[in-house]
Amino acid sequence: MAKTSRAAARRAANIRLIVQIFFFALIALIAVNHSLEEAGKAIPVLSSASLHAICPFGGVVSVYQFITTGTFVRKVHSASFILMWIVFALTVFLGPVFCGWVCPFGSIQEWFGKLGRKIFKKRFNRLIPYKVDRILRYLRYLVLGLIVYVTAATGTLMFANIDPYFALFNFWTSEVTIVSVIILIVVLLLSLVVERPFCKYACPYGAVLGVFNLFRVFKIRRNPSTCINCKACDRSCPMNVPVSTSGAVRNHQCISCLKCTSEQVCPVDKTVELTTIRLETSTAAPAEEATT
């Protein structure tokens, strides 16, 4: 039985890794193809659009201008609007799976974190004091507010000049600023100490999608009556969400990576699951929902 569980866990983890690699490679190819198009050598089967044109966050920052003038912020394409609504629809049902499964910048932070875990071992992702970490997690909402306000006021893509995600896939081009490259390097170095630091503390799109955790249809739920309180779910969570104290995870930092579930790390079958059904609760003391 144990061998079967471990095999299932590896299979689930491998599926997610394959999805992450696919989207990372796809975005990289599109970025390269954009450069090739400028040289007249584009690959016909690939989109030659700039990453700004196909980023769903571009739709978010263009909402105000689109409502008031019917146009998009410069560098943003209608495809960004379409992708924005697709991601929103997916997030309503499954939570921020875009963050945990699709976003290439989140993936590369996670891969750097694997190296950091080997270097720092148990100290990895535990070096920042909880009280400090808890405050820092709300910085991304300040970043979101600033970007939306400045973009709406100026009609320009304010985030473009400091975007480490864009720098990652365009560092060889003249479109990338020195500031964004420096931020990219800092984020990757921090990823050796803190898992997904940009996702936790600065990502404006993660801030938007995190709100959906409050009302998503499929939630990560814990069954208190079968939970053995081993804390394996807490240790496996890249975003340090306290799953072991949850009835249903509503934490704004959850990225729906499913690492905490019984299919991957929880040793008790059907104790931590992605489901719409409230799992059996203990008659003695029902678990509280994790929202902090």
Side-chain angles (χ1 to χ4, degrees), residues 52 55-63 72-73 76-77 80-81 84 157:
H52 292 309
C55 176
F57 184 61
V60 175
V61 296
S62 287
V63 167
F72 299 105
V73 171
V76 173
H77 191 268
S80 293
F81 250 53
M84 176 187 73
L157 201 57

Side-chain angles (χ1 to χ4, degrees), residues 14-246:
N14 288 338
I15 290 173
R16 177 170 172 266
L17 178 60
I18 290 170
V19 172
Q20 288 178 292
I21 292 173
F22 170 79
F23 281 105
F24 189 94
L26 177 63
I27 294 300
L29 284 172
I30 290 175
V32 170
N33 202 45
H34 178 64
S35 297
L36 291 175
E37 185 194 35
E38 295 178 344
K41 301 177 182 178
I43 304 171
V45 295
L46 286 175
S47 169
S48 57
S50 165
L51 291 193
H52 292 309
I54 58 172
C55 176
F57 184 61
V60 175
V61 296
S62 287
V63 167
Y64 175 79
Q65 183 164 316
F66 183 77
I67 292 174
T68 56
T69 68
T71 61
F72 299 105
V73 171
R74 190 168 62 88
K75 293 186 179 181
V76 173
H77 191 268
S78 58
S80 293
F81 250 53
I82 296 172
L83 289 173
M84 176 187 73
W85 290 115
I86 291 175
V87 173
F88 280 174
L90 188 63
T91 309
V92 166
F93 286 96
L94 298 173
V97 288
F98 178 86
C99 302
W101 291 67
V102 176
C103 178
F105 194 53
S107 294
I108 197 168
Q109 291 175 76
E110 187 174 312
W111 298 335
F112 265 71
K114 291 181 184 297
L115 175 60
R117 192 178 297 277
K118 291 181 179 180
I119 297 172
F120 294 100
K121 302 186 184 303
K122 291 183 178 180
R123 291 181 298 162
F124 174 73
N125 206 29
R126 296 290 187 275
L127 294 176
I128 299 178
Y130 173 73
K131 291 183 179 179
V132 176
D133 173 79
R134 187 174 182 179
I135 295 172
L136 290 177
R137 288 170 185 263
Y138 289 94
L139 285 177
R140 63 182 189 170
Y141 292 96
L142 293 178
V143 174
L144 172 64
L146 177 63
I147 290 173
V148 171
Y149 173 76
V150 174
T151 302
T154 64
T156 60
L157 201 57
M158 174 262 184
F159 195 51
N161 293 329
I162 58 174
D163 186 1
Y165 163 61
F166 185 76
L168 174 65
F169 292 102
N170 293 273
F171 61 86
W172 64 87
T173 72
S174 59
E175 294 183 73
V176 174
T177 66
I178 295 297
V179 174
S180 63
V181 172
I182 291 174
I183 293 175
L184 170 63
I185 293 172
V186 169
V187 169
L188 294 181
L189 290 177
L190 284 175
S191 296
L192 296 174
V193 180
V194 180
E195 193 153 6
R196 287 177 171 254
F198 187 79
C199 304
K200 283 178 181 169
Y201 307 129
C203 181
Y205 197 45
V208 173
L209 299 184
V211 175
F212 285 80
N213 281 317
L214 297 173
F215 53 84
R216 56 193 281 188
V217 176
F218 286 84
K219 295 181 177 67
I220 294 175
R221 298 178 182 270
R222 182 183 68 96
N223 188 342
S225 64
T226 58
C227 176
I228 59 175
N229 201 33
C230 65
K231 308 292 184 182
C233 52
D234 294 347
R235 292 191 297 271
S236 68
C237 179
M239 305 299 284
N240 303 103
V241 174
V243 181
S244 66
T245 62
S246 313

